Amino acid sequence: MKEIKHFINGQFVGSASGKQFDNINPANGQRISRVHEAGEAEVDLAVRAARAALDGPWGKMTLEQRTQILHAVADGINARFDEFLEAECLDTGKPRSLASHIDIPRGAANFKVFADMIKNVATETFEMPTPDGTGALNYSIRRPKGVIGVISPWNLPLLLMTWKVGPALACGNTVVVKPSEETPTTTALLGEVMKAAGVPDGVYNVVHGYGANSAGAFLTAHPGVDAYTFTGETRTGELIMSNAAKGVRDISLELGGKNAGIVFADCDLDKAIEGTMRSAFANCGQVCLGTERVYVQRPIFDEFVARLKTAAEGLVIGPPEDASANLGPLISEKQRNKVLSYYQQAVAEGATLVTGGGIPDMPDELKGGWWIQPTIWTGLSDDSPVVTEEIFGPCCHIQPFDTEEEAIYQANRLPYGLASAVWTENISRATRVAGQIEAGIVWVNSWFLRDLRTPFGGSKQSGIGREGGVHSLEFYTELKNICIKL
Ligand code: NAD
Ligand code: 6OD
């Protein structure tokens, strides 16, 4: 049986305690590998290695040397594209068509884009008059923040981990990464790529394990970490934030959402259906930016519901190796139980079940997997937990609205504020509505269209801080002003 070990100071090492856990394939419930679970000892070794590399070879490299190495990391991922693809699909069960277009290419791009960004973004200079007439010159320079703790989720494992590791390393930091216990493989594989690309030992470290009482908690309690960047549930973010408060460490939190899609009667309906299909069902609904609440203007409500139903029923449920499949399983039994409990609650509360609502009948060899039907409801009340809580499954509730004000009210009434999608061909309306939605990202006539130079993050309980473009440089560096009296 394949073993997945920690990657500490450039070496793959097992846990001193011998503790291991199973990594399960969500498509069939079978074991893929055994994963070493880090204790405090391994986390401490990883943090110390990261500190030594920061004070040593990595910290002494020129920007040009560092960014060349990060380009080599991106090239290394691309050179082993099929291995990364296979590993990501085994861990998550997601369709190959999805991972080959999004997860793996973005995993590589995250290194190149931020290596180029740090080389090309200027800092500030201010000339200043002084009473003696000689003046002063202020200029600012960026310095790495230090050792960064990166804690990542399972839904887009390589993409979301490198989205943080790429800019962190580009800015000259070193990292200790704790990937999700559900999806350890590509984060481990990246260790091999880092080594081959010439990344000095200790710059990129990986410790595996769970959150509470395990690697995640040990990492977020370790005093040797200077800042934490986290993607995951809002509740976990609160815990990490309180740990980071000790020692006044900085945090970047990308958390949960309950995102609204707003479909106006003047939209291009083909585009709105295609976009809502992706935003509700892509990655089996396990995308933080996904739309679980769809508000449709009354004149097109019935047609929208009928067309989304037809499209959802056309999704092909199947394992990654099935080239026609566009809906994989959920990540785990726990996640499926959670999603199914909302499916049951919706029916119990009197929802109209438009489609889905249960577990699909799968062939014998896939019956052990965490399959689930894409599901659409109408008719729930505003305060139903199905409409107010993040489900993170392939489902949405559709509700009619009449006025622009009502749609904006609906989008903003929950404590989350991550993303929204607005569908209208009226540019004035789009601009007006997008400006009033309380969310970090609003897409107009699209969804999950990403330009890595733009700010990304959530408002309200969906997060703290922005990453992407110069905003990543803000988080991963200390900006220092130097004032020279002339
Ligand atoms: P999660 O919070 O359960 O776990 C995320 C990571 O945190 C995992 O590595 C986990 O082991 C670790 N962790 C859990 N408890 C911990 C603790 N007490 N201390 C330290 N680490 C701990 O989230 P998940 O279930 O893996 O991911 C799904 C969630 O992530 C959803 O809520 C989704 O909306 C959110 N998400 C947000 C974004 C975003 O950009 N805003 C992106 C993707 C996912
Ligand atoms: O595209 C990104 O950079 C990003 N952070 C996406 C997040 C997706 C959430 O599931």
Side-chain angles (χ1 to χ4, degrees):
M1 176 59 53
K2 182 179 167 186
E3 274 184 39
I4 302 213
K5 296 184 174 175
H6 316 297
F7 185 68
I8 300 175
N9 206 19
Q11 307 298 324
F12 285 97
V13 294
S15 289
S17 67
K19 272 171 100 175
Q20 297 183 7
F21 58 93
D22 286 338
N23 178 24
I24 301 292
N25 179 346
N28 58 19
Q30 286 174 10
R31 192 163 65 178
I32 308 166
S33 56
R34 294 280 292 159
V35 187
H36 286 253
E37 182 179 353
E40 281 175 290
E42 286 78 28
V43 170
D44 187 53
L45 280 177
V47 173
R48 285 174 191 280
R51 176 70 54 196
L54 187 72
D55 295 340
W58 192 241
K60 294 190 170 60
M61 269 184 197
T62 63
L63 180 61
E64 191 56 39
Q65 288 169 320
R66 212 164 65 216
T67 53
Q68 269 177 15
I69 289 180
L70 295 179
H71 271 256
V73 170
D75 293 340
I77 294 173
N78 285 329
R80 297 176 68 175
F81 192 95
D82 290 346
E83 267 178 90
F84 275 94
L85 182 61
E86 175 75 16
E88 202 73 315
C89 290
L90 265 179
D91 275 8
T92 59
K94 66 176 76 189
R96 277 207 186 125
S97 52
L98 183 73
S100 61
H101 281 96
I102 295 185
D103 301 62
I104 314 303
R106 262 296 299 282
N110 285 334
F111 286 99
K112 284 199 176 162
V113 167
F114 290 103
D116 294 343
M117 187 86 59
I118 186 79
K119 285 206 299 195
N120 292 311
V121 174
T123 52
E124 304 149 47
T125 309
F126 291 100
E127 286 179 313
M128 180 190 179
T130 53
D132 65 4
T134 61
L137 179 68
N138 290 278
Y139 65 94
S140 53
I141 54 173
R142 294 190 181 281
R143 288 292 175 260
K145 197 157 256 178
V147 174
I148 310 286
V150 179
I151 297 139
S152 48
W154 43 257
N155 61 327
L156 300 159
L158 183 72
L159 186 159
L160 289 174
M161 181 269 296
T162 54
W163 158 248
K164 291 167 176 301
V165 170
L169 298 191
C171 291
N173 302 282
T174 57
V175 296
V176 179
V177 184
K178 209 299 279 172
S180 168
E181 57 274 23
E182 304 287 355
T183 52
T185 314
T186 49
T187 305
L189 194 52
L190 187 61
E192 293 179 23
V193 169
M194 291 272 176
K195 188 108 185 158
V199 174
D201 293 350
V203 171
Y204 173 78
N205 304 278
V206 181
V207 288
H208 297 287
Y210 298 91
N213 302 313
S214 184
F218 302 145
L219 182 58
T220 55
H222 198 295
V225 177
D226 297 298
Y228 294 99
T229 178
F230 169 75
T231 304
E233 285 185 23
T234 297
R235 236 184 14 253
T236 316
E238 285 173 346
L239 290 172
I240 290 175
M241 192 171 172
S242 68
N243 274 358
K246 187 143 177 75
V248 198
R249 277 95 53 87
D250 204 356
I251 44 161
S252 170
L253 300 178
E254 296 179 350
L255 309 175
K258 185 73 178 180
N259 312 302
I262 301 180
V263 186
F264 286 98
D266 60 7
C267 72
D268 176 326
L269 197 52
D270 290 343
K271 282 191 221 157
I273 293 290
E274 187 275 336
T276 307
M277 279 299 294
R278 287 192 297 114
S279 71
F281 303 121
N283 209 35
C284 201
Q286 302 165 118
V287 182
C288 61
L289 310 159
T291 305
E292 290 187 356
R293 301 183 290 144
V294 188
Y295 297 95
V296 181
Q297 213 164 14
R298 207 171 298 273
I300 60 164
F301 181 79
D302 290 341
E303 186 183 359
F304 184 94
V305 173
R307 286 187 60 178
L308 202 72
K309 167 182 159 65
T310 305
E313 289 171 353
L315 286 168
V316 180
I317 302 178
E321 58 276 14
D322 176 351
S324 65
N326 45 22
L327 194 82
L330 290 167
I331 190 69
S332 63
E333 183 175 25
K334 182 173 157 219
Q335 185 66 14
R336 186 167 72 171
N337 288 341
K338 177 183 165 192
V339 174
L340 277 175
S341 74
Y342 284 103
Y343 282 18
Q344 284 149 11
Q345 184 164 5
V347 173
E349 288 182 4
T352 299
L353 184 62
V354 176
T355 189
I359 295 175
D361 193 22
M362 300 301 288
D364 283 351
E365 68 278 14
L366 298 174
K367 280 202 192 308
W370 315 124
W371 303 96
I372 188 101
Q373 287 177 329
T375 295
I376 301 172
W377 309 277
T378 58
L380 284 168
S381 69
D382 274 2
D383 59 359
S384 164
V386 179
V387 181
T388 61
E389 295 174 8
E390 182 184 52
I391 300 174
F392 225 53
C395 54
C396 63
H397 178 253
I398 317 181
Q399 190 171 323
F401 73 88
D402 292 300
T403 64
E404 216 172 280
E405 293 68 31
E406 192 187 342
I408 294 165
Y409 164 78
Q410 286 290 2
N412 289 345
R413 73 185 173 85
L414 298 184
Y416 291 113
L418 186 54
S420 190
V422 176
W423 301 91
T424 174
E425 291 296 302
N426 178 332
I427 188 67
S428 300
R429 186 200 297 281
T431 312
R432 214 166 38 234
V433 172
Q436 291 178 76
I437 291 179
E438 294 164 1
I441 306 142
V442 179
W443 278 287
V444 175
N445 296 332
S446 72
W447 178 76
F448 208 166
L449 181 59
R450 294 280 292 116
D451 180 329
L452 302 191
R453 295 168 299 182
T454 61
F456 181 96
S459 57
K460 303 197 276 187
Q461 291 183 23
S462 290
I464 290 187
R466 294 289 179 272
E467 298 195 37
V470 292
H471 311 281
S472 292
L473 307 190
E474 290 300 325
F475 179 70
Y476 293 107
T477 59
E478 288 291 348
L479 198 54
K480 176 181 355 200
N481 186 66
I482 297 177
C483 176
I484 301 182
K485 172 77 171 60
L486 301 174

